Amino acid sequence: MCMSLFDEYTQESQKAMLVQSEILAFDPLEDDPFCFFDISPQDDEESAFLKTLGLGKPYIEDFTARALRNGSTFEAELLAAGTVTETAYFGAFARFLRLPFISELDGAVVVDTPSLDVQLLETRMVRLSPKDAKPYIAIVPDIGSIERLKHALDSTPGIAADLVVTTPSALRKAVWQAGEERRTRQTVNTLFDTTPVYSARITLHGKQGFFLGVGATVIGGSMLLSTSLTFHLLHIFTAVLYMAAIAFRLTPLRTKPDRRTLTLVEQSNGEQLPIYSVLVALYREDAIVEQLVTALNRLDWPKSRLDIKLVCEADDVATIAAIRHLNPGPHFEIIHVPPSLPRTKPKALNYALNGARGEFIAIYDAEDRPHPKQLREAYARFCDGCEKLACLQAPLIISNSGASWITSSFSLEYSALFRRMLPMLAQMRMPLPLGGTSNHFRASILRNVGAWDPYNVTEDADLGMRLYRLGYYSDVISYQTLEDAPTDISVWLAQRSRWFKGWLQSWLVMMRSPVRVAKEMGLKAYLVFHLLIGGMLLSSLTHPLFILYLIVVGRTLWVDGLDAFSTMQLALICIDTLNMLASYVIFLVMGTQAMIEHEREMVGKRWLATPVYWLMLSAAAWRAVYELRYKPFVWNKTPHKPVSKTS
């Protein structure tokens, strides 16, 4: 911070701040390259302090060994183990230093500066300026600097009057509160302000609206002038695109699972690990919080190196209370997102990203149960991959596929996508339409590309395409995440409509400058994007029209026979019939082929409902078109229930 911030201080306060900054900025690994191998608290001051906590030699040796093994510190291991609470530890630290201790800070009197968020990443100190009292500095001391801190306090007694000790969580909470208005503005506006070409904040740009209007006018005029010819041309065009999308989906049938990374996981055991951040956006999820915390605590990663952010809307009192009731531990942190529009998951994640301390970041949903070794596999793959590897997608597996025909169809769909389509795209080094959960990112790249678009309601697919446009690539890993599919039709329809709406947003964003995007991605990847996103949207929107057409054709054939149709019409009828049958068959074959036997047994004969499921997809797609026009940024919330003990 520049010295102008302290003009109101006395000279003694300035000196206190400078001395304290020097102490807390001390990095033992940088200042003394040999101290890494001597991280146990052995100095006289350290030993004296630990005695005040009642820690004996066995505890000290145990936590020292953990710190060496995990690449952390003695202090981090002590707090992560829960042997000493944060309040007790730093309260004892304050008494040892003969400084006041404050367990809660008032964020309203914290001085907010653009650099304040640094304290969310490396919690050291914060300046507070009460209106009716002298300004002071709250510090979070650590055992590594206790000798120098004690010496500074003894040699310059006056600085103690301007210092108080607090806890890391209290300091971070105050920093979150102090900068919430600034941070909210940045979260909502940064992508649009800096790179509007990537933002879905404007649904249709000027040229897009113009060409859409021209196209609608041309088609309308053509229908008036020559209804039959226009209909046949449109029919041929959509049938060919439909067939191309189906042909593309045949490719993953040859894809086999890549299990090589599981070997990398075993080889990486015993390595010192970096901090890994886990972000989970929650809204009205009080019923499932306990299940979520249990699942995250099963992750095979040292708790001292975990940074789990449970990201809640500030007015979601029930969810926040449920988390606090569990008291999940110091590696968990509740992030309160101030109420603002748009109320979307990507906006909440962007807000929390300001405080994510990890070198890598994982995204999960409230109902997720990730495999315990998933972080290990992702880390091993990042270490093995090149620096352009930005994201890894874990497979999502539906655990309640036997609950109803809806969940069975959902399970078949996810099986085809996450265990066949995405691995195939990854092998081809094509852009991946990421799933909304179980994504693992390099934090530096995620921040560099602008993170998530707060206005895109399918932020995952959008981010996958943007990463590719900017020269990065995504891949897949093997360890799965279990989650439940909606069992209620209305809930399923609302969720799927949101997904379709977001895919439409993503497609429109990419089509603002089609030539430029084609050059950025390369022609092959550009075509794959259209077949993936555009083909899916087209097939879902036109599916009921083709079915209706075939019903009319069937009735005409029954009444008038083949003579009622020309050769061209018969050819189109054959293509339409083939498209319908192929879409169902590929959906079922891809889904069942990737499943294990137990999953196929759970699905049973419910696959017979596939035609009905596809009609539901069409209903969701048409609803998405309506919502894109009238409710573009409304997030259709999917309620979740905890898994029953018998599941």
Side-chain angles (χ1 to χ4, degrees), residues 120-395:
L120 296 174
L121 305 178
E122 190 172 348
T123 308
R124 294 285 188 171
M125 70 179 83
V126 70
R127 175 192 173 201
L128 299 97
S129 297
K131 291 182 179 180
D132 55 351
K134 178 183 176 182
Y136 63 95
I137 300 165
I139 66 170
V140 177
D142 60 78
I143 200 168
S145 61
I146 191 171
E147 189 78 20
R148 297 176 68 177
L149 182 54
K150 194 76 164 60
H151 174 73
L153 290 169
D154 291 342
S155 61
T156 315
I159 67 174
D162 298 313
L163 300 178
V164 301
V165 173
T166 190
T167 66
S169 60
L171 191 146
R172 283 195 297 268
K173 182 179 178 181
V175 171
W176 281 115
Q177 181 185 349
E180 63 181 14
E181 292 184 8
R182 166 184 53 82
R183 206 174 294 116
T184 299
R185 289 194 303 271
Q186 293 173 346
T187 297
V188 172
N189 299 321
T190 296
L191 184 67
F192 180 76
D193 290 342
T194 58
T195 49
V197 69
Y198 299 135
S199 173
R201 184 169 177 173
I202 298 176
T203 302
L204 284 174
H205 274 214
K207 289 183 179 180
Q208 289 179 307
F210 172 75
F211 285 118
L212 182 63
V214 169
T217 302
V218 170
I219 292 174
S222 300
M223 292 291 286
L224 291 175
L225 294 173
S226 179
T227 303
S228 179
L229 177 61
T230 303
F231 174 78
H232 283 301
L233 290 175
L234 289 174
H235 192 163
I236 293 170
F237 177 74
T238 53
V240 170
L241 288 180
Y242 200 114
M243 182 175 287
I246 290 174
F248 177 71
R249 292 178 182 275
L250 283 171
T251 309
L253 292 176
R254 301 192 302 269
T255 304
K256 298 298 181 183
D258 182 4
R259 309 293 289 183
R260 66 183 174 86
T261 58
L262 303 187
T263 303
L264 293 175
V265 175
E266 298 304 320
Q267 293 173 350
S268 67
N269 284 339
E271 290 186 9
Q272 292 181 340
L273 301 172
I275 295 177
Y276 214 120
S277 291
V278 176
L279 308 185
V280 188
L282 303 171
Y283 185 55
R284 298 177 183 172
E285 300 286 10
D286 50 296
I288 207 169
V289 161
E290 184 176 359
Q291 175 183 290
L292 171 67
V293 170
T294 300
L296 295 179
N297 273 328
R298 283 199 291 258
L299 290 172
D300 181 16
W301 200 267
K303 287 183 172 57
S304 61
R305 310 300 278 166
L306 269 179
D307 170 40
I308 301 177
K309 312 288 190 189
L310 302 181
V311 190
C312 304
E313 296 292 324
D315 55 4
D316 186 7
V317 178
T319 302
I320 294 172
I323 298 171
R324 286 176 174 164
H325 176 73
L326 293 173
N327 190 23
H331 54 298
F332 284 85
E333 181 181 7
I334 303 174
I335 306 298
H336 300 76
V337 182
S340 66
L341 295 177
R343 281 209 166 193
T344 61
K345 172 184 171 182
K347 187 202 74 174
L349 293 177
N350 278 351
Y351 188 87
L353 186 62
N354 290 283
R357 298 184 289 115
E359 183 180 343
F360 303 99
I361 295 175
I363 308 300
Y364 292 116
D365 281 345
E367 78 276 22
D368 286 352
R369 287 97 69 201
H371 191 286
K373 288 188 176 293
Q374 194 178 110
L375 299 191
R376 293 270 184 178
E377 182 184 6
Y379 173 63
R381 282 295 303 279
F382 278 123
C383 292
D384 186 59
C386 77
E387 61 182 12
K388 291 294 184 180
L389 176 58
C391 179
L392 293 166
Q393 172 70 63

